[in-house]
Amino acid sequence: MGDQPILRINALTKRFNEFTALHGIDLNVRDGEFLAIVGPSGSGKTTLIRLLVGMDEPTEGAIWLRDSRIDAVPANKRPTCMVFQSLALFPHRSVGQNIEFPLKLRKVAPATRKARALELLELLRLPASYYDKRIDECSGGEKQRVALARALAFDPEILFFDEPLSALDYRLRKTLEKELKDLHRRTGKTFIYITHSLEEAMVMSDRIAIMKAGRFEQIAPAAEIYARPRSRFVAEFMGEVNLFDMVDGRVPGLRFGPRASNLFVGQTGTLVVRPESVALLAPGEEADVALEGIIESEYLLGSRVQYTVAREGAAPVTVEVLRENAVGGPGAPVVMGFGTSACHLIAPEARDAAA
Amino acid sequence: MRTSRLMGWLLVAYGCAVLAFLYLPLVSVGLASISKARYLTFPIRRYAYDWYGEALASDTVRDLLLVSLKVAGIVTVLSMVIGFLGALAFARYSWRFRKAYQKLILLPIFFPQTVLGLALLMWFNTVGIIPSWKTAVVAHLVWIAPIATLVISIRAYSFDPALEEAARDMGATTWDTLREVTIPLLMPGVISAGLFAFLLSWGNFPLSLFTTGADSTLPEWLYAKMVSGYSPLVPTVGILTVGTSAVLLALGLTAALIFKRARAARNA
């Protein structure tokens, strides 16, 4: 990976009449990086990718590709390419003709074109006989690979993806996620991947940018976002989480041991604890932070069990333990605990800040 | 749903009745064209086929055919072009007055053709254009181009706008996109629109009546001859007219089939 960013976004704003889809966002993408942009629908991620590939123009701000400013350059003059959500494969062209399309536009000789298409079929693990196949004869996963091959034939500086896996079934999606990650490694290209599925983003990307209402909430590697979310929204978006409001070092219903008391003295904010960090304490067992309640419901998650524990006068707590550590079912009173190392405190002023 | 035996027979009988009502009159015209009698009488007592020879040799009939073919041919080509562009505006691109345009385009179709013909004639007179087969082309287009637009729009609605965006994203200019993606994908719609346009123009009477001026198309002549000066030449020309439509329809369908086969072969 180079030091200089391949893509720089500077104070990018997009307004549609009264509605502001993007609020002056900034972003740097490293050369060769796999960046996932994640957010719920309506968060502005599709607007952003349309600006990045040149299908829309920003209202304000700039997009730089290495040293050239490209925000006013039309899509067909940009050295970037996108894999569409619908894949947008040409139904009236064969697999081979689809892959060769960008080369044909550049007036590459037919023989050279075909050689390249066959190379790409091999790279995407499709048999050479697919060259003459019709698009509607391909399965969902094969179409996916053809779309990728076509984008690679274009040889873009940056490859964009607009949720291309969202229409596939779970198992195929898992396979293709791994293949895509593998392809990223082998080609060394910069991938920018848009999705609403955090799971997809975590499996594949080097960094995740989380979007909400036209702003980035946090941009960081998956592990960091998971362990140290910058805001309540990010914490909740990253999966099941327990959030406790802390005022002046105290949280009602939580008993702090000496280590926790020292750590949180005088602090105010939101305490974030993941369900798998909460343990069910045996009688007499100690923890930095302890709390109690009554099991309300239990869910089996394969090798793990998840409990919702009701507490008096407070929100229920979610606990996830290994199956062998499971305790009684609903109605059983339990004492729970977690260590300070599992805690992350979101400062109140950071809650609504944009990255 | 299972139909009983009786129900089945009733359905068959109903189907036959509908076909008879639709096609028997045509058969009777065919029979009239081979009658020896000078007047329209039934049943036909003596048959003769000379009228076909006469029709093909007649200068009048040749002129009529020529005018009708010219009008229908030009209307077909222009309808395909206007319909293609119109359908893109109708179904593919969002623009400010699209809603209004989608409604306005239906207006000529809902107008009674006689009124439309009269209105156009008055307009041509006002502007100082002498009506001829050329003005008939314009009149036919007012009515047929919207129909062609709608026929092609159905096709245009069914294709993914991302296809054009993808082509553009991969470096295609507007012209490349049109040539490589839009036109091939809309082609089946354009061909059916062309067939419709030809048949509608070829058989049109009310618009032609008002707007051809001194020229005359086949349907006009048929009507004029029915009113005064009937001879078996009238049904003969009528049958020739139907025959031309049929041949054209067959040609059009064959062309569509060949187009499909060629594509399949190219892709196979």
Side-chain angles (χ1 to χ4, degrees), chain A residues 109-290:
Chain A
T112 321
R113 256 164 30 199
K114 182 164 184 180
R116 180 70 183 137
L118 290 172
E119 249 173 60
L120 285 164
L121 280 175
E122 202 189 329
L123 179 73
L124 273 303
R125 304 203 171 89
L126 285 169
S129 62
Y130 271 60
Y131 182 84
D132 289 319
K133 236 185 163 108
R134 290 215 326 261
I135 291 299
D136 56 18
E137 289 170 338
C138 295
S139 70
E142 288 163 357
K143 281 183 192 159
Q144 202 66 236
R145 295 188 180 103
V146 176
L148 265 168
R150 186 176 68 177
L152 288 171
F154 180 82
D155 196 24
E157 293 245 22
I158 301 175
L159 196 49
F160 292 98
F161 298 86
D162 183 13
E163 306 203 30
L165 303 183
S166 60
L168 300 174
D169 65 74
Y170 182 80
R171 281 188 57 191
L172 186 56
R173 204 161 65 223
K174 288 281 134 201
T175 312
L176 287 166
E177 278 171 14
K178 291 207 183 81
E179 281 187 21
L180 210 57
K181 176 87 192 153
D182 186 44
L183 191 71
H184 173 249
R185 202 166 24 235
R186 278 186 290 159
T187 57
K189 288 206 177 296
T190 308
F191 282 23
I192 298 182
Y193 192 101
I194 287 217
T195 179
H196 64 266
S197 155
L198 186 74
E199 204 187 327
E200 234 171 74
M202 298 229 278
V203 171
M204 296 189 288
S205 57
D206 299 321
R207 279 196 307 162
I208 297 177
I210 294 191
M211 276 193 98
K212 179 197 173 193
R215 289 193 174 92
F216 286 124
E217 284 275 308
Q218 189 166 6
I219 307 171
E224 191 187 324
I225 292 190
Y226 190 74
R228 285 187 292 280
R230 285 259 307 257
S231 66
R232 254 186 120 96
F233 173 80
V234 174
E236 284 173 337
F237 195 77
M238 291 298 282
E240 286 282 354
V241 70
N242 296 304
L243 301 173
F244 305 97
D245 287 322
M246 181 184 287
V247 180
D248 197 18
R250 262 195 286 274
V251 180
L254 262 55
R255 289 198 309 271
F256 288 164
R259 198 145 38 140
S261 299
N262 286 338
L263 183 66
F264 295 131
V265 67
Q267 303 250 40
T268 295
T270 304
L271 191 63
V272 180
V273 184
R274 296 285 169 193
E276 66 271 21
S277 305
V278 184
L280 296 170
L281 300 182
E285 203 178 336
E286 296 285 329
D288 292 339
V289 182

Side-chain angles (χ1 to χ4, degrees), chain A residues 309-324:
Chain A
V309 181
R311 295 187 301 147
E312 249 190 76
V317 173
T318 307
V319 183
E320 215 178 284
V321 296
L322 287 171
R323 196 197 274 276
E324 59 258 38

Side-chain angles (χ1 to χ4, degrees), chain A residues 29-95:
Chain A
V29 182
R30 291 189 293 266
D31 199 355
E33 184 175 15
F34 195 138
L35 175 80
I37 299 174
V38 193
S41 42
S43 57
K45 55 192 197 303
T46 302
T47 305
L48 174 60
I49 207 167
R50 288 184 68 86
L51 295 183
L52 293 181
V53 296
M55 287 184 297
D56 265 321
E57 273 189 54
T59 314
E60 284 156 30
I63 304 168
W64 296 81
L65 184 77
R66 295 190 204 281
D67 294 323
S68 47
R69 188 171 167 171
I70 58 164
D71 46 81
V73 178
N76 57 349
K77 300 260 160 46
R78 291 191 194 189
T80 58
C81 191
M82 169 151 103
V83 176
F84 286 69
Q85 184 164 24
S86 66
L87 301 181
L89 291 168
F90 304 129
H92 60 298
R93 300 267 185 260
S94 67
V95 167

Side-chain angles (χ1 to χ4, degrees), chain A residues 50 53 55 75-76 80-82 84 86 88-94 97 101-102 104-105 132 134 150 154, chain B residues 160 162-174 176 179-182 184-185 263-264 266-268:
Chain A
R50 288 184 68 86
V53 296
M55 287 184 297
N76 57 349
T80 58
C81 191
M82 169 151 103
F84 286 69
S86 66
L89 291 168
F90 304 129
H92 60 298
R93 300 267 185 260
S94 67
Q97 287 169 333
F101 185 79
K104 189 180 171 192
L105 290 177
D132 289 319
R134 290 215 326 261
R150 186 176 68 177
F154 180 82
Chain B
D160 181 5
L163 292 175
E164 286 176 344
E165 286 184 333
R168 201 166 173 73
D169 187 37
M170 285 182 284
T173 59
T174 306
D176 288 333
R179 194 190 56 218
E180 294 286 336
V181 180
T182 318
L185 282 172
R263 178 189 291 174
R266 226 182 314 133
N267 287 355

Side-chain angles (χ1 to χ4, degrees), chain A residues 272-315:
Chain A
V272 180
V273 184
R274 296 285 169 193
E276 66 271 21
S277 305
V278 184
L280 296 170
L281 300 182
E285 203 178 336
E286 296 285 329
D288 292 339
V289 182
L291 64 164
E292 51 219 23
I294 294 168
I295 295 179
E296 196 175 76
S297 53
E298 118 182 277
Y299 308 96
L300 300 177
L301 312 169
S303 59
R304 310 185 133 255
V305 183
Q306 193 184 80
Y307 296 106
T308 306
V309 181
R311 295 187 301 147
E312 249 190 76

